[in-house]
Coordinates of all heavy atoms in Angstrom, one line a residue:
M378 N 0.8 -1.2 0.0 CA 0.0 0.0 0.0 C 0.9 1.3 0.0 O 1.8 1.3 0.8 CB -0.9 0.0 1.2 CG -1.8 1.2 1.4 SD -2.9 1.0 2.8 CE -3.7 2.6 2.7
V379 N 0.6 2.2 -0.9 CA 1.3 3.4 -0.9 C 0.8 4.4 0.1 O -0.4 4.6 0.3 CB 1.2 4.0 -2.4 CG1 2.0 5.4 -2.4 CG2 1.7 3.1 -3.4
R380 N 1.8 5.0 0.8 CA 1.4 6.0 1.9 C 2.0 7.3 1.5 O 2.9 7.4 0.8 CB 1.8 5.5 3.2 CG 1.0 4.3 3.7 CD 1.5 3.9 5.1 NE 0.8 2.7 5.5 CZ -0.4 2.6 6.0 NH1 -1.1 3.7 6.2 NH2 -1.0 1.5 6.4
G381 N 1.6 8.3 2.3 CA 2.1 9.7 2.1 C 1.2 10.6 1.3 O 0.1 10.2 0.9
Y382 N 1.7 11.8 1.2 CA 0.8 12.8 0.5 C 1.0 12.7 -1.0 O 2.0 12.4 -1.5 CB 1.3 14.2 1.0 CG 0.9 14.5 2.4 CD1 1.9 14.4 3.4 CD2 -0.4 14.7 2.8 CE1 1.6 14.7 4.7 CE2 -0.7 15.0 4.2 CZ 0.3 14.9 5.1 OH 0.0 15.2 6.4
P383 N -0.1 13.0 -1.7 CA 0.0 13.0 -3.2 C 0.9 14.2 -3.6 O 0.9 15.3 -3.0 CB -1.4 13.2 -3.6 CG -2.1 13.9 -2.5 CD -1.4 13.4 -1.2
E384 N 1.6 14.0 -4.7 CA 2.5 15.1 -5.2 C 2.2 15.2 -6.7 O 2.0 14.1 -7.4 CB 4.0 14.8 -5.0 CG 4.4 14.8 -3.5 CD 5.8 14.5 -3.3 OE1 6.5 14.3 -4.3 OE2 6.3 14.5 -2.2
V385 N 2.3 16.4 -7.2 CA 2.3 16.6 -8.7 C 3.7 16.6 -9.2 O 4.5 17.3 -8.8 CB 1.6 17.9 -9.0 CG1 1.5 18.1 -10.5 CG2 0.2 17.9 -8.4
D386 N 3.9 15.7 -10.2 CA 5.3 15.7 -10.8 C 5.2 16.3 -12.2 O 4.8 15.7 -13.2 CB 5.7 14.2 -11.0 CG 7.1 14.1 -11.5 OD1 7.7 15.1 -11.9 OD2 7.6 12.9 -11.7
F387 N 5.6 17.6 -12.2 CA 5.5 18.4 -13.5 C 6.5 17.9 -14.5 O 6.3 18.2 -15.7 CB 5.7 19.8 -13.2 CG 4.6 20.5 -12.4 CD1 4.8 21.0 -11.2 CD2 3.3 20.6 -13.0 CE1 3.8 21.6 -10.5 CE2 2.3 21.2 -12.2 CZ 2.5 21.7 -11.0
S388 N 7.5 17.1 -14.1 CA 8.4 16.6 -15.1 C 7.7 15.5 -16.0 O 8.2 15.2 -17.1 CB 9.6 15.9 -14.5 OG 9.3 14.7 -13.8
R389 N 6.5 15.1 -15.6 CA 5.8 14.1 -16.4 C 4.6 14.7 -17.1 O 3.9 14.0 -17.9 CB 5.3 13.0 -15.5 CG 6.4 12.3 -14.7 CD 5.8 11.2 -13.8 NE 5.2 10.2 -14.5 CZ 4.6 9.1 -13.9 NH1 4.7 9.0 -12.6 NH2 4.0 8.2 -14.7
G390 N 4.4 16.0 -16.9 CA 3.3 16.6 -17.7 C 2.6 17.7 -16.8 O 2.9 17.8 -15.6
E391 N 1.7 18.4 -17.4 CA 1.1 19.5 -16.7 C -0.2 19.0 -16.1 O -0.8 17.9 -16.4 CB 0.7 20.6 -17.7 CG -0.4 20.3 -18.7 CD 0.0 19.7 -19.9 OE1 1.0 18.9 -19.9 OE2 -0.6 19.9 -21.0
C392 N -0.7 19.9 -15.2 CA -2.0 19.6 -14.6 C -3.0 20.4 -15.5 O -2.9 21.6 -15.8 CB -2.1 20.2 -13.2 SG -3.7 20.1 -12.4
T393 N -4.1 19.7 -15.9 CA -5.1 20.3 -16.8 C -6.2 20.9 -15.9 O -7.2 21.4 -16.5 CB -5.6 19.3 -17.7 OG1 -6.3 18.2 -17.0 CG2 -4.5 18.7 -18.6
F394 N -6.2 20.7 -14.6 CA -7.2 21.2 -13.7 C -8.5 20.6 -14.0 O -9.6 21.2 -13.9 CB -7.3 22.8 -13.8 CG -6.0 23.5 -13.6 CD1 -5.5 24.3 -14.6 CD2 -5.2 23.3 -12.5 CE1 -4.2 25.0 -14.4 CE2 -4.0 23.9 -12.3 CZ -3.5 24.7 -13.2
C395 N -8.5 19.3 -14.4 CA -9.7 18.6 -14.7 C -10.5 18.3 -13.5 O -11.7 18.0 -13.6 CB -9.4 17.4 -15.6 SG -8.6 16.1 -14.6
G396 N -9.8 18.2 -12.4 CA -10.5 17.9 -11.1 C -10.7 16.4 -10.8 O -11.3 16.0 -9.9
A397 N -10.1 15.5 -11.7 CA -10.3 14.1 -11.5 C -9.8 13.6 -10.2 O -10.3 12.7 -9.5 CB -9.7 13.3 -12.6
C398 N -8.6 14.2 -9.7 CA -8.1 13.8 -8.4 C -9.0 14.1 -7.3 O -9.1 13.4 -6.3 CB -6.7 14.4 -8.3 SG -6.7 16.2 -8.4
A399 N -9.6 15.3 -7.3 CA -10.5 15.7 -6.3 C -11.7 14.8 -6.2 O -12.2 14.4 -5.2 CB -10.9 17.2 -6.5
T400 N -12.2 14.4 -7.4 CA -13.4 13.5 -7.5 C -13.0 12.1 -7.0 O -13.8 11.5 -6.3 CB -13.8 13.4 -9.0 OG1 -14.1 14.7 -9.4 CG2 -15.1 12.5 -9.1
A401 N -11.8 11.7 -7.3 CA -11.4 10.3 -6.9 C -11.1 10.2 -5.4 O -11.3 9.1 -4.9 CB -10.1 9.9 -7.7
C402 N -10.7 11.3 -4.8 CA -10.4 11.2 -3.3 C -11.7 11.2 -2.5 O -12.4 12.2 -2.3 CB -9.6 12.4 -2.9 SG -9.1 12.3 -1.1
K403 N -12.1 10.0 -2.1 CA -13.3 9.8 -1.4 C -13.3 10.4 0.0 O -14.4 10.6 0.6 CB -13.7 8.3 -1.3 CG -13.8 7.6 -2.6 CD -14.8 8.3 -3.5 CE -14.8 7.7 -4.9 NZ -15.5 8.5 -5.9
D404 N -12.1 10.7 0.6 CA -12.1 11.3 1.9 C -12.2 12.8 1.8 O -12.2 13.5 2.9 CB -10.7 10.9 2.6 CG -10.7 9.4 2.9 OD1 -11.8 8.9 3.2 OD2 -9.6 8.8 2.9
G405 N -12.2 13.4 0.6 CA -12.4 14.8 0.5 C -11.2 15.6 0.9 O -11.3 16.8 1.3
A406 N -10.0 15.0 0.7 CA -8.8 15.7 1.1 C -8.4 16.7 0.1 O -7.4 17.5 0.3 CB -7.7 14.7 1.4
L407 N -9.0 16.7 -1.1 CA -8.6 17.6 -2.2 C -9.8 18.4 -2.6 O -10.4 18.3 -3.6 CB -8.1 16.8 -3.4 CG -6.9 15.9 -3.1 CD1 -6.6 15.0 -4.3 CD2 -5.7 16.8 -2.8
P408 N -10.3 19.3 -1.7 CA -11.5 20.1 -2.0 C -11.3 21.1 -3.1 O -10.3 21.6 -3.3 CB -11.7 20.8 -0.6 CG -10.4 21.0 0.0 CD -9.6 19.7 -0.4
R409 N -12.4 21.3 -3.8 CA -12.4 22.4 -4.9 C -13.5 23.4 -4.5 O -14.6 23.0 -4.2 CB -12.8 21.7 -6.2 CG -11.7 21.0 -6.9 CD -12.2 20.6 -8.3 NE -11.4 21.3 -9.3 CZ -11.6 21.3 -10.6 NH1 -12.7 20.7 -11.1 NH2 -10.8 22.0 -11.5
A410 N -13.1 24.6 -4.6 CA -14.0 25.7 -4.3 C -15.2 25.7 -5.3 O -16.4 25.8 -4.9 CB -13.3 27.0 -4.2
D411 N -14.8 25.6 -6.5 CA -15.8 25.4 -7.6 C -15.1 24.9 -8.8 O -13.9 24.8 -8.8 CB -16.5 26.8 -7.9 CG -15.6 27.8 -8.4 OD1 -14.9 27.6 -9.4 OD2 -15.5 28.9 -7.7
D412 N -15.8 24.6 -9.9 CA -15.2 24.0 -11.1 C -14.2 24.9 -11.8 O -13.4 24.4 -12.6 CB -16.3 23.6 -12.1 CG -17.1 22.4 -11.6 OD1 -16.6 21.7 -10.6 OD2 -18.2 22.1 -12.1
H413 N -14.2 26.2 -11.5 CA -13.3 27.1 -12.2 C -12.1 27.5 -11.3 O -11.2 28.2 -11.8 CB -14.1 28.3 -12.7 CG -15.2 27.9 -13.6 ND1 -15.0 27.4 -14.9 CD2 -16.5 28.0 -13.4 CE1 -16.2 27.1 -15.4 NE2 -17.1 27.5 -14.6
A414 N -12.1 27.1 -10.1 CA -11.1 27.6 -9.2 C -9.8 26.8 -9.4 O -9.8 25.6 -9.6 CB -11.5 27.4 -7.7
L415 N -8.7 27.5 -9.4 CA -7.4 26.8 -9.5 C -7.1 26.2 -8.2 O -7.4 26.7 -7.1 CB -6.3 27.8 -9.9 CG -6.4 28.5 -11.3 CD1 -5.3 29.5 -11.4 CD2 -6.3 27.4 -12.4
P416 N -6.4 25.0 -8.2 CA -6.1 24.3 -6.9 C -5.0 24.9 -6.1 O -4.8 24.5 -5.0 CB -5.8 22.9 -7.4 CG -5.2 23.1 -8.8 CD -6.0 24.3 -9.4
W417 N -4.2 25.8 -6.7 CA -3.1 26.4 -6.0 C -2.7 27.8 -6.5 O -3.3 28.2 -7.5 CB -1.9 25.5 -6.2 CG -1.6 25.0 -7.6 CD1 -1.4 25.8 -8.7 CD2 -1.6 23.7 -8.1 NE1 -1.3 25.1 -9.8 CE2 -1.4 23.7 -9.4 CE3 -1.7 22.4 -7.5 CZ2 -1.3 22.6 -10.2 CZ3 -1.7 21.3 -8.3 CH2 -1.4 21.4 -9.6
T418 N -1.8 28.4 -5.8 CA -1.4 29.7 -6.2 C 0.1 29.7 -6.7 O 0.6 30.8 -6.9 CB -1.5 30.7 -5.0 OG1 -0.7 30.2 -3.9 CG2 -2.9 30.9 -4.5
I419 N 0.6 28.6 -6.8 CA 2.0 28.5 -7.3 C 2.1 29.0 -8.7 O 1.2 28.9 -9.5 CB 2.6 27.1 -7.1 CG1 1.7 26.1 -7.8 CG2 2.8 26.7 -5.7 CD1 2.2 24.6 -7.7
K420 N 3.3 29.4 -9.1 CA 3.6 30.0 -10.4 C 4.9 29.4 -10.9 O 5.8 29.0 -10.2 CB 3.7 31.5 -10.3 CG 2.6 32.2 -9.6 CD 1.3 32.2 -10.5 CE 0.2 33.0 -9.8 NZ -1.0 33.0 -10.6
A421 N 5.1 29.5 -12.2 CA 6.4 29.2 -12.8 C 7.4 30.2 -12.6 O 7.1 31.4 -12.6 CB 6.2 29.0 -14.3
Q422 N 8.6 29.7 -12.3 CA 9.8 30.6 -12.2 C 10.9 30.1 -13.0 O 11.2 28.9 -13.0 CB 10.2 30.7 -10.7 CG 9.2 31.4 -9.8 CD 9.8 31.8 -8.5 OE1 10.7 31.2 -8.0 NE2 9.3 32.9 -7.9
I423 N 11.5 31.0 -13.7 CA 12.6 30.6 -14.6 C 14.0 30.9 -13.9 O 14.2 32.1 -13.5 CB 12.5 31.3 -16.0 CG1 11.3 30.9 -16.7 CG2 13.8 31.0 -16.8 CD1 10.9 31.5 -17.9
T424 N 14.8 29.9 -13.8 CA 16.0 30.1 -13.0 C 17.2 30.5 -13.9 O 17.0 30.6 -15.1 CB 16.4 28.8 -12.3 OG1 16.8 27.8 -13.3 CG2 15.2 28.2 -11.6
D425 N 18.3 30.7 -13.3 CA 19.5 31.2 -14.0 C 20.0 30.1 -14.9 O 21.0 30.3 -15.7 CB 20.6 31.6 -13.1 CG 20.2 33.0 -12.4 OD1 19.3 33.6 -12.9 OD2 20.8 33.3 -11.4
N426 N 19.5 28.9 -14.8 CA 19.9 27.8 -15.7 C 19.4 28.0 -17.2 O 19.9 27.3 -18.1 CB 19.4 26.4 -15.3 CG 20.1 25.9 -14.1 OD1 21.2 26.4 -13.8 ND2 19.5 25.0 -13.3
C427 N 18.5 28.9 -17.4 CA 17.9 29.2 -18.7 C 19.1 29.4 -19.7 O 20.0 30.1 -19.4 CB 17.0 30.4 -18.6 SG 16.4 30.9 -20.3
L428 N 19.0 28.8 -20.8 CA 20.0 28.8 -21.8 C 20.3 30.3 -22.3 O 21.5 30.6 -22.7 CB 19.6 28.0 -23.1 CG 19.6 26.5 -22.9 CD1 18.9 25.8 -24.0 CD2 21.0 26.0 -22.6
A429 N 19.4 31.1 -22.2 CA 19.6 32.5 -22.6 C 20.7 33.2 -21.8 O 21.5 34.0 -22.3 CB 18.3 33.3 -22.5
H430 N 20.9 32.7 -20.6 CA 21.9 33.3 -19.7 C 23.3 32.8 -20.1 O 24.3 33.3 -19.6 CB 21.6 33.0 -18.2 CG 20.4 33.6 -17.7 ND1 20.3 35.0 -17.6 CD2 19.2 33.1 -17.3 CE1 19.1 35.3 -17.1 NE2 18.4 34.2 -17.0
R431 N 23.3 31.8 -21.0 CA 24.6 31.3 -21.5 C 24.8 31.7 -22.9 O 25.6 31.1 -23.7 CB 24.6 29.8 -21.4 CG 24.7 29.3 -20.0 CD 24.8 27.8 -19.9 NE 23.7 27.2 -19.1 CZ 23.4 25.9 -19.2 NH1 24.0 25.1 -20.0 NH2 22.4 25.5 -18.4
G432 N 24.0 32.6 -23.4 CA 24.1 33.1 -24.7 C 23.5 32.3 -25.8 O 23.7 32.5 -27.0
V433 N 22.6 31.3 -25.4 CA 22.0 30.4 -26.4 C 20.5 30.8 -26.5 O 19.8 30.9 -25.5 CB 22.1 29.0 -25.9 CG1 21.3 28.0 -26.9 CG2 23.5 28.5 -25.7
E434 N 20.1 31.1 -27.8 CA 18.7 31.4 -28.0 C 17.8 30.2 -27.8 O 18.1 29.2 -28.4 CB 18.5 32.1 -29.3 CG 17.0 32.4 -29.6 CD 16.8 33.6 -30.5 OE1 17.9 34.2 -30.9 OE2 15.7 34.0 -30.7
C435 N 16.7 30.3 -27.1 CA 15.8 29.2 -26.9 C 14.4 29.8 -26.5 O 14.4 30.7 -25.7 CB 16.3 28.3 -25.7 SG 15.1 27.0 -25.3
R436 N 13.4 29.3 -27.1 CA 12.0 29.7 -26.8 C 11.1 28.6 -26.7 O 9.9 28.7 -26.8 CB 11.5 30.7 -27.9 CG 12.4 31.9 -28.1 CD 11.8 32.8 -29.2 NE 12.6 33.9 -29.5 CZ 12.2 35.2 -29.7 NH1 11.0 35.5 -29.6 NH2 13.1 36.1 -29.9
I437 N 11.7 27.4 -26.3 CA 10.9 26.2 -26.3 C 9.7 26.3 -25.3 O 8.7 25.8 -25.6 CB 11.8 25.0 -25.9 CG1 12.8 24.7 -27.1 CG2 11.1 23.8 -25.5 CD1 13.8 23.7 -26.8
C438 N 10.0 26.9 -24.2 CA 8.9 26.9 -23.1 C 7.7 27.8 -23.5 O 6.7 27.6 -22.9 CB 9.5 27.4 -21.8 SG 10.3 29.0 -21.9
G439 N 7.9 28.7 -24.5 CA 6.8 29.6 -24.8 C 5.6 28.8 -25.5 O 4.4 29.1 -25.2
D440 N 5.9 27.9 -26.3 CA 4.8 27.3 -27.1 C 3.8 26.5 -26.3 O 2.6 26.5 -26.5 CB 5.4 26.4 -28.2 CG 6.0 27.2 -29.3 OD1 5.6 28.4 -29.5 OD2 6.9 26.6 -30.1
P441 N 4.3 25.7 -25.3 CA 3.3 24.8 -24.6 C 2.4 25.6 -23.6 O 1.5 25.1 -23.1 CB 4.1 23.8 -23.9 CG 5.5 24.4 -23.7 CD 5.7 25.3 -24.9
C442 N 2.8 26.8 -23.3 CA 2.0 27.6 -22.3 C 0.6 27.9 -22.8 O 0.5 28.6 -23.8 CB 2.7 28.9 -21.9 SG 1.7 29.8 -20.7
P443 N -0.5 27.4 -22.2 CA -1.8 27.6 -22.7 C -2.4 29.0 -22.6 O -3.4 29.3 -23.2 CB -2.6 26.6 -21.9 CG -1.9 26.4 -20.7 CD -0.4 26.6 -21.0
V444 N -1.7 29.8 -21.8 CA -2.2 31.1 -21.5 C -1.2 32.2 -21.9 O -1.4 33.4 -21.6 CB -2.6 31.3 -20.0 CG1 -3.8 30.4 -19.7 CG2 -1.4 31.1 -19.1
T445 N -0.2 31.8 -22.7 CA 0.8 32.8 -23.2 C 1.4 33.6 -22.1 O 1.5 34.9 -22.2 CB 0.2 33.7 -24.3 OG1 -0.7 32.9 -25.1 CG2 1.3 34.2 -25.2
A446 N 1.8 33.0 -21.0 CA 2.3 33.7 -19.9 C 3.8 33.9 -20.0 O 4.4 34.6 -19.1 CB 2.0 33.0 -18.6
I447 N 4.5 33.3 -20.9 CA 5.9 33.4 -21.1 C 6.2 34.4 -22.2 O 5.8 34.1 -23.3 CB 6.6 32.1 -21.3 CG1 6.3 31.1 -20.1 CG2 8.1 32.2 -21.4 CD1 6.9 29.8 -20.2
R448 N 6.9 35.4 -21.9 CA 7.3 36.4 -22.9 C 8.8 36.4 -23.1 O 9.5 36.0 -22.1 CB 6.9 37.8 -22.5 CG 5.4 37.9 -22.1 CD 4.6 38.2 -23.3 NE 3.1 37.9 -23.1 CZ 2.3 38.7 -22.4 NH1 2.8 39.8 -21.9 NH2 1.0 38.4 -22.3
F449 N 9.3 36.8 -24.2 CA 10.7 36.9 -24.5 C 11.1 38.3 -24.8 O 10.8 38.8 -25.9 CB 11.1 35.9 -25.6 CG 10.8 34.5 -25.3 CD1 9.5 33.9 -25.5 CD2 11.8 33.7 -24.7 CE1 9.2 32.6 -25.2 CE2 11.5 32.4 -24.3 CZ 10.2 31.8 -24.6
S450 N 11.7 38.9 -23.8 CA 12.1 40.3 -24.0 C 13.4 40.5 -24.6 O 14.4 39.8 -24.2 CB 12.1 41.0 -22.6 OG 10.9 40.8 -21.9
P451 N 13.5 41.3 -25.6 CA 14.8 41.5 -26.3 C 15.8 42.2 -25.3 O 15.3 42.9 -24.4 CB 14.5 42.4 -27.4 CG 13.0 42.6 -27.5 CD 12.4 42.1 -26.2
R452 N 17.0 41.9 -25.5 CA 18.0 42.6 -24.7 C 19.3 42.8 -25.5 O 19.6 42.0 -26.4 CB 18.3 41.9 -23.4 CG 18.9 40.5 -23.6 CD 19.2 39.8 -22.4 NE 19.7 38.4 -22.7 CZ 20.8 37.9 -22.1 NH1 21.5 38.6 -21.3 NH2 21.2 36.7 -22.5
L453 N 20.1 43.8 -25.1 CA 21.3 44.0 -25.8 C 22.4 43.0 -25.4 O 22.5 42.6 -24.3 CB 21.8 45.4 -25.4 CG 21.0 46.6 -26.0 CD1 21.6 47.9 -25.4 CD2 21.0 46.6 -27.5
G454 N 23.1 42.5 -26.4 CA 24.3 41.7 -26.2 C 23.9 40.2 -25.9 O 24.8 39.5 -25.5
G455 N 22.7 39.8 -26.2 CA 22.4 38.4 -25.9 C 21.0 38.1 -26.4 O 20.2 38.9 -26.8
P456 N 20.7 36.8 -26.4 CA 19.4 36.3 -26.9 C 18.3 36.8 -25.9 O 18.6 37.0 -24.7 CB 19.5 34.8 -26.9 CG 20.6 34.5 -26.0 CD 21.5 35.6 -26.0
P457 N 17.0 36.8 -26.4 CA 15.9 37.2 -25.5 C 15.8 36.3 -24.3 O 16.1 35.1 -24.4 CB 14.7 37.1 -26.4 CG 15.2 37.1 -27.8 CD 16.6 36.5 -27.7
V458 N 15.4 36.8 -23.2 CA 15.3 36.1 -21.9 C 13.8 35.8 -21.6 O 13.0 36.7 -21.8 CB 15.9 36.9 -20.7 CG1 15.6 36.2 -19.4 CG2 17.4 37.0 -20.9
A459 N 13.5 34.6 -21.3 CA 12.2 34.2 -21.0 C 11.7 34.8 -19.6 O 12.5 34.8 -18.7 CB 12.0 32.7 -20.9
E460 N 10.5 35.4 -19.6 CA 10.0 35.9 -18.4 C 8.6 35.5 -18.2 O 7.8 35.4 -19.2 CB 10.0 37.5 -18.5 CG 11.4 38.0 -18.5 CD 11.4 39.5 -18.8 OE1 10.3 40.1 -19.1 OE2 12.5 40.2 -18.7
V461 N 8.2 35.1 -17.0 CA 6.8 34.7 -16.7 C 6.0 35.8 -16.2 O 6.4 36.5 -15.2 CB 6.9 33.5 -15.7 CG1 5.4 33.1 -15.3 CG2 7.6 32.3 -16.3
D462 N 4.9 36.0 -16.8 CA 3.9 37.0 -16.2 C 3.1 36.3 -15.1 O 2.2 35.4 -15.4 CB 3.0 37.4 -17.4 CG 1.9 38.4 -16.8 OD1 1.9 38.7 -15.6 OD2 1.0 38.7 -17.6
A463 N 3.5 36.6 -13.9 CA 2.9 35.9 -12.8 C 1.4 36.1 -12.7 O 0.7 35.2 -12.1 CB 3.6 36.3 -11.5
A464 N 0.9 37.2 -13.1 CA -0.5 37.5 -13.1 C -1.3 36.6 -14.0 O -2.5 36.3 -13.8 CB -0.8 38.9 -13.4
T465 N -0.7 36.1 -15.1 CA -1.3 35.3 -16.1 C -1.1 33.8 -15.8 O -1.9 32.9 -16.1 CB -0.8 35.6 -17.5 OG1 -1.0 37.0 -17.7 CG2 -1.6 34.9 -18.5
C466 N 0.1 33.4 -15.3 CA 0.5 32.0 -15.1 C -0.5 31.4 -14.2 O -0.8 31.9 -13.1 CB 1.9 32.0 -14.5 SG 2.4 30.3 -14.1
T467 N -0.9 30.2 -14.6 CA -1.9 29.4 -13.7 C -1.1 28.3 -12.9 O -1.8 27.6 -12.1 CB -2.9 28.6 -14.6 OG1 -2.2 27.7 -15.5 CG2 -3.7 29.6 -15.5
G468 N 0.2 28.2 -13.1 CA 0.9 27.2 -12.4 C 0.6 25.8 -12.9 O 0.8 24.8 -12.2
C469 N 0.2 25.7 -14.2 CA -0.2 24.4 -14.7 C 1.0 23.4 -14.9 O 0.9 22.2 -14.9 CB -0.9 24.5 -16.0 SG 0.2 25.0 -17.4
G470 N 2.2 24.0 -15.1 CA 3.4 23.2 -15.3 C 3.7 22.7 -16.7 O 4.7 22.0 -16.9
A471 N 2.9 23.1 -17.6 CA 3.1 22.7 -19.0 C 4.5 23.1 -19.6 O 5.0 22.5 -20.5 CB 2.0 23.2 -19.9
C472 N 5.1 24.1 -19.0 CA 6.4 24.6 -19.5 C 7.5 23.8 -18.9 O 8.7 24.0 -19.4 CB 6.5 26.1 -19.2 SG 6.3 26.5 -17.5
V473 N 7.3 23.1 -17.9 CA 8.4 22.5 -17.1 C 9.2 21.4 -17.9 O 10.4 21.4 -18.2 CB 7.9 21.9 -15.8 CG1 9.0 21.1 -15.1 CG2 7.5 23.0 -14.9
A474 N 8.4 20.4 -18.4 CA 9.1 19.2 -19.0 C 9.8 19.5 -20.3 O 10.8 19.0 -20.6 CB 8.0 18.1 -19.2
P475 N 9.2 20.5 -21.1 CA 9.9 20.7 -22.4 C 11.2 21.4 -22.3 O 12.0 21.4 -23.2 CB 8.9 21.6 -23.2 CG 7.5 21.4 -22.5 CD 7.9 21.1 -21.1
C476 N 11.5 22.1 -21.2 CA 12.7 22.9 -21.1 C 13.9 21.9 -21.1 O 14.0 21.0 -20.2 CB 12.8 23.7 -19.8 SG 14.3 24.5 -19.5
P477 N 14.8 22.0 -22.0 CA 15.9 21.1 -22.1 C 16.9 21.1 -21.0 O 17.8 20.2 -20.9 CB 16.6 21.5 -23.5 CG 16.3 22.9 -23.6 CD 14.9 23.1 -23.0
V478 N 16.9 22.1 -20.2 CA 17.9 22.2 -19.1 C 17.3 22.3 -17.7 O 17.9 22.8 -16.7 CB 18.9 23.4 -19.3 CG1 19.7 23.2 -20.5 CG2 18.1 24.7 -19.5
N479 N 16.0 21.9 -17.6 CA 15.3 22.0 -16.3 C 15.4 23.3 -15.6 O 15.7 23.4 -14.4 CB 15.8 20.9 -15.4 CG 15.6 19.5 -15.9 OD1 14.6 19.2 -16.5 ND2 16.6 18.7 -15.8
A480 N 15.2 24.4 -16.4 CA 15.4 25.7 -15.8 C 14.1 26.3 -15.2 O 14.1 27.4 -14.7 CB 15.9 26.6 -16.9
I481 N 13.0 25.5 -15.3 CA 11.7 26.1 -14.8 C 11.3 25.3 -13.6 O 11.2 24.1 -13.6 CB 10.7 26.0 -15.9 CG1 11.2 26.8 -17.2 CG2 9.3 26.6 -15.4 CD1 10.2 26.7 -18.3
S482 N 10.9 26.0 -12.6 CA 10.4 25.4 -11.4 C 9.0 26.0 -11.1 O 8.7 27.2 -11.5 CB 11.3 25.6 -10.2 OG 11.4 27.0 -9.9
I483 N 8.2 25.3 -10.5 CA 6.8 25.7 -10.1 C 6.8 25.9 -8.6 O 6.9 24.9 -7.9 CB 5.7 24.8 -10.6 CG1 5.9 24.4 -12.0 CG2 4.3 25.3 -10.3 CD1 5.6 25.6 -13.0
T484 N 6.8 27.1 -8.1 CA 7.0 27.3 -6.7 C 6.0 28.4 -6.2 O 5.5 29.2 -7.0 CB 8.4 27.8 -6.3 OG1 8.7 28.9 -7.1 CG2 9.4 26.7 -6.6
Ligands
SF4_1761 S1 12.9 26.3 -22.4 FE1 14.3 26.5 -20.7 S2 16.2 27.1 -21.6 FE2 14.6 27.5 -23.1 S3 14.0 29.6 -22.8 FE3 12.6 28.4 -21.6 S4 13.5 28.3 -19.6 FE4 15.1 29.0 -21.0
SF4_1762 S1 3.1 27.1 -15.4 FE1 1.6 26.9 -17.1 S2 0.6 28.9 -17.2 FE2 2.5 29.2 -16.1 S3 4.1 29.8 -17.5 FE3 4.2 27.5 -17.4 S4 2.8 26.7 -19.0 FE4 2.3 28.9 -18.7

């Protein structure tokens, strides 16, 4: 029998906020305020591991974001740097697995 708290592993994919986990938990440990409420307030953060900080252009994380929360701001002397709009980010984690250098954390 598996024990412990459930964890979301964003390296395996994003949360679609479908609510299946809340429905499946018969003890009600994963309550939902309503069908449209996000389950958490965590957001994506891009760390210094991002390839842009090493002079390599990369925009891989932008495409999977369903709400276009990742922007690439031009800068002098180097490739554009990815930035997360925290107000738009849902913390779904869709950007985590595609990053080739594990530069995105959801915190
Ligand atoms: S996918 Fe990773 S390395 Fe590429 S821009 Fe996004 S955070 Fe940077
Ligand atoms: S966690 Fe989801 S919403 Fe936030 S930047 Fe990544 S893909 Fe976009």
Side-chain angles (χ1 to χ4, degrees):
M378 179 178 178
V379 177
R380 293 183 182 276
Y382 292 104
E384 295 180 0
V385 179
D386 183 358
F387 292 115
S388 70
R389 301 179 63 179
E391 74 271 32
C392 176
T393 63
F394 307 123
C395 69
C398 55
T400 302
C402 181
K403 301 305 178 197
D404 292 328
L407 301 170
R409 282 189 115 188
D411 61 62
D412 286 347
H413 302 292
L415 294 175
W417 46 59
T418 57
I419 53 178
K420 308 285 181 178
Q422 290 195 333
I423 296 175
T424 70
D425 290 343
N426 285 341
C427 174
L428 289 170
H430 293 295
R431 293 182 234 163
V433 178
E434 178 148 4
C435 174
R436 300 183 186 221
I437 290 173
C438 56
D440 286 340
C442 179
V444 293
T445 321
I447 301 178
R448 308 272 166 77
F449 296 88
S450 302
R452 64 179 177 130
L453 290 174
V458 172
E460 296 172 349
V461 176
D462 177 4
T465 307
C466 175
T467 63
C469 72
C472 54
V473 172
C476 176
V478 291
N479 298 319
I481 303 176
S482 61
I483 307 292
T484 54

